[in-house]
Amino acid sequence: MLNKIFNKRGQASESMTWIAATLIIIVLLGISIYAASLLSKLKIIDYETEERTQDIIMEESLFSYFSIKDSDVQSKIFKSLEKMNQEEKFYEDFNSKFQQIKFNLEKNEK
Amino acid sequence: MIKNKKVKHILRKGIKEISHYVFFPKNRIGAEKIISVYWFVILIIIAGAVVAMVSLFYGSPYDVRVTEANIMINQVSNCLSQSGELNKNLFISENSEKKFNENFNLLEECNLIFETKFENAVGEYFLEAEFYDLNNERLFSISEGNSNLKTDCKIAEGEKKYKRLSKCVDREFYSLDSENQAYKINILSVVRKTEKNVK
Amino acid sequence: MKIKKRGKTLFTSSSFFTKSERGEILVENVLFIVLNIIFISILILFLFKQGSGAALLEQTYSKQIALMIDSAKPVMEIKLNMEKAQKITEKNKIDFNQVVSITGNVVNVKLSQKTGYEYSFFNDVEVKAFPETNSQNEYTGVYIFTINKNGQ
């Protein structure tokens, strides 16, 4: 019974709880700080991932493709452009632009 | 009357301890004071962490160099080639032979200005246009700006990413001359500007 | 009737004079909670103030304007909505006319007396920037940029 009065285990367990809580808080804050540093890297404005409505470089290539009279040269350039499209070097949809320019040229010819 | 010596000893010890307990009662006030100080320490740690997060996020500037390099390439491509035909000033006829114009000034022809009034600005841009035939043979090249920035592009290709390197963008397209001969043009644009874009 | 020792704990005064089980709201606990709420609200206010701060807006506007001028060609007129900047200049008592200034090929955006952010552009054009006004000569929050060939 006297042991129960002078039992200090309750006091010790309270401080242990606080130490554990402090460690958890520090770990969570560390994760938040790391997350904030990762988010700061989103501040790199990437030209490619933004939605683009026009790719001037690709259109120049397409205009020159349609202006070429030599069919061998034309097919060579088209293969190269398709390869560039597969390597995702264009910022706009290559096939739809190709079809659009082709349609407009045929329309003008008529 | 308690005769057992052992029991007597235990009882005497107990009475001493009980009386000590009665006159010096243990309470939780001391523990609560320590806890409140601890609570303030926790609050200070949290406030410090929030300030650190804010300074980490808002302290780093927006990096627009890739966008700037791409815009430069668009402007230069527009100046070198229009609707699939190369700029006529790129060529000169020498002895009835068509040659590339060595005196073609990219900055003047394309209305570019690379100098700024900033004190520490030591060549913030580099621009290079290379002309190839369809067999990938290099025919001609023109460049302007700080050529030392070109080495940053090779370092940037490696596995490790260095924040304070210049940003390089290179793109290629096809164009024709007046005789319908096709060329592949590769434009490399390098933007340094680390003071304004990197922390 | 002899009450057994075991049963004694059941039949105490608390059995007959039941104490009210309502707890008292301690002033200390209330104060503690209020102080915590004040602390958290100060932190949140600090966060929001940083987000819409003049320094960040100056940077974003100056870079946006510089890239816009880089993409432009003579002769062009571009209108940019700068209402957020207008609100801050009203607080900092700066004339909206003084927010954007272009010297040579450098854009300077200033939203308070002491601060300012500069960014250069590479397009060799002549740029003039001025705020738009309505019929009552009040600023609409829009800035107009006119781009002409250099020397014109």
Side-chain angles (χ1 to χ4, degrees):
Chain A
M1 193 187 108
L2 289 169
N3 281 335
K4 280 181 190 174
I5 294 164
F6 302 111
N7 192 352
K8 289 176 188 171
R9 274 184 217 158
Q11 206 71 23
S13 70
E14 212 174 289
S15 57
M16 279 310 294
T17 312
W18 275 105
I19 289 166
T22 312
L23 284 170
I24 290 166
I25 286 167
I26 288 168
V27 165
L28 285 171
L29 287 174
I31 292 167
S32 313
I33 290 170
Y34 181 66
S37 70
L38 284 176
L39 278 170
S40 72
K41 285 176 189 174
L42 287 174
K43 282 183 158 189
I44 298 167
I45 312 288
D46 196 357
Y47 191 81
E48 291 156 43
T49 54
E50 302 284 326
E51 275 181 29
R52 310 232 73 81
T53 54
Q54 200 182 23
D55 186 354
I56 295 168
I57 302 285
M58 185 186 81
E59 285 176 21
E60 283 291 336
S61 299
L62 285 172
F63 286 136
S64 52
Y65 166 80
F66 283 108
S67 305
I68 292 169
K69 289 156 189 173
D70 189 343
S71 56
D72 291 333
V73 172
Q74 219 181 27
S75 62
K76 213 174 179 179
I77 289 176
F78 187 74
K79 276 181 190 170
S80 179
L81 289 175
E82 272 203 323
K83 193 186 169 192
M84 281 160 72
N85 185 36
Q86 280 164 12
E87 288 167 6
E88 292 177 357
K89 287 187 177 178
F90 296 135
Y91 301 152
E92 204 193 335
D93 185 17
F94 172 73
N95 292 316
S96 62
K97 197 72 191 179
F98 181 86
Q99 294 301 329
Q100 189 187 352
I101 296 172
K102 192 179 175 185
F103 175 76
N104 287 334
L105 284 169
E106 283 167 4
K107 199 178 166 185
N108 285 340
E109 273 173 24
K110 285 174 187 175
Chain B
M1 285 292 284
I2 300 156
K3 288 180 183 174
N4 195 336
K5 272 189 184 173
K6 236 185 184 178
V7 175
K8 252 192 201 172
H9 174 72
I10 290 165
L11 268 172
R12 237 179 258 155
K13 199 177 172 188
I15 288 162
K16 257 191 202 171
E17 285 173 354
I18 287 166
S19 57
H20 179 83
Y21 183 70
V22 164
F23 290 110
F24 302 103
K26 283 188 183 175
N27 54 25
R28 291 185 70 246
I29 292 170
E32 277 179 3
K33 279 185 182 167
I34 291 166
I35 286 164
S36 63
V37 168
Y38 211 69
W39 189 251
F40 280 116
V41 169
I42 295 280
L43 287 182
I44 290 164
I45 290 170
I46 291 169
V50 168
V51 169
M53 279 188 262
V54 164
S55 67
L56 255 175
F57 184 74
Y58 290 115
S60 60
Y62 284 101
D63 192 349
V64 296
R65 292 176 295 170
V66 174
T67 308
E68 204 172 345
N70 272 293
I71 292 170
M72 191 187 288
I73 288 176
N74 286 343
Q75 293 286 60
V76 171
S77 72
N78 238 351
C79 141
L80 292 177
S81 164
Q82 280 190 347
S83 306
E85 202 177 309
L86 285 171
N87 189 335
K88 285 170 187 170
N89 294 334
L90 273 166
F91 301 98
I92 47 165
S93 50
E94 217 173 82
N95 301 327
S96 68
E97 207 185 293
K98 200 172 175 180
K99 275 173 81 178
F100 276 102
N101 183 3
E102 302 275 341
N103 296 323
F104 185 88
N105 191 326
L106 258 179
L107 295 181
E108 273 177 30
E109 290 283 341
C110 304
N111 293 317
L112 303 173
I113 178 164
F114 282 177
E115 288 100 38
T116 55
K117 63 158 194 162
F118 294 128
E119 284 171 10
N120 298 324
V122 187
E124 304 284 12
Y125 303 100
F126 176 69
L127 185 61
E128 187 180 55
E130 292 174 316
F131 295 79
Y132 297 86
D133 63 10
L134 292 181
N135 299 320
N136 266 332
E137 200 182 305
R138 200 171 102 159
L139 302 170
F140 180 61
S141 82
I142 28 172
S143 64
E144 291 289 342
N146 186 1
S147 53
N148 295 325
L149 298 179
K150 204 177 172 184
T151 51
D152 284 1
C153 302
K154 286 179 185 166
I155 299 167
E157 279 169 25
E159 279 178 18
K160 205 173 175 184
K161 284 191 177 177
Y162 296 95
K163 252 199 306 186
R164 297 199 74 85
L165 280 180
S166 314
K167 291 284 181 183
C168 307
V169 177
D170 75 300
R171 296 201 69 197
E172 51 191 34
F173 65 99
Y174 290 90
S175 193
L176 309 171
D177 64 8
S178 52
E179 287 158 19
N180 218 258
Q181 195 174 344
Y183 297 91
K184 187 172 86 172
I185 301 110
N186 190 326
I187 305 177
L188 169 69
S189 170
V190 186
V191 179
R192 191 180 156 272
K193 286 186 169 179
T194 45
E195 291 83 14
K196 292 283 184 181
N197 290 282
V198 182
K199 198 179 177 184
Chain C
M1 193 173 129
K2 221 180 183 182
I3 302 162
K4 284 183 185 175
K5 239 187 181 181
R6 256 187 221 171
K8 198 178 182 180
T9 51
L10 292 173
F11 293 97
T12 53
S13 59
S14 62
S15 305
F16 297 103
F17 304 104
T18 48
K19 282 185 186 168
S20 170
E21 286 175 0
R22 278 185 221 163
E24 285 175 15
I25 298 167
L26 295 170
V27 177
E28 298 163 354
N29 285 346
V30 169
L31 197 65
F32 180 71
I33 290 164
V34 165
L35 282 172
N36 275 329
I37 289 167
I38 290 168
F39 172 75
I40 290 166
S41 51
I42 288 168
L43 273 181
I44 292 168
L45 270 168
F46 169 69
L47 274 172
F48 278 116
K49 207 180 172 190
Q50 286 301 309
S52 58
L56 189 71
L57 268 177
E58 278 173 359
Q59 194 202 144
T60 49
Y61 275 129
S62 66
K63 285 181 177 172
Q64 193 180 3
I65 292 165
L67 292 178
M68 203 173 69
I69 295 168
D70 280 335
S71 312
K73 279 184 184 176
V75 171
M76 260 190 192
E77 186 181 276
I78 301 171
K79 288 186 180 179
L80 182 67
N81 189 341
M82 294 179 70
E83 281 175 3
K84 284 182 194 172
Q86 193 186 21
K87 283 177 192 168
I88 292 176
T89 50
E90 279 165 12
K91 274 186 213 170
N92 294 333
K93 291 171 189 173
I94 282 189
D95 189 13
F96 190 57
N97 204 6
Q98 297 170 1
V99 169
V100 179
S101 59
I102 298 172
T103 330
N105 66 333
V106 176
V107 177
N108 188 330
V109 174
K110 197 175 160 182
L111 295 178
S112 64
Q113 297 285 356
K114 293 174 190 174
T115 59
Y117 196 91
E118 287 184 327
Y119 202 75
S120 64
F121 53 88
F122 57 76
N123 204 356
D124 192 12
V125 287
E126 194 182 301
V127 187
K128 282 178 186 162
F130 53 91
E132 191 186 55
T133 50
N134 57 16
S135 52
Q136 285 129 23
N137 237 11
E138 291 166 347
Y139 294 126
T140 58
V142 173
Y143 242 87
I144 301 173
F145 298 88
T146 55
I147 291 126
N148 291 301
K149 266 189 184 174
N150 219 346
Q152 273 190 351

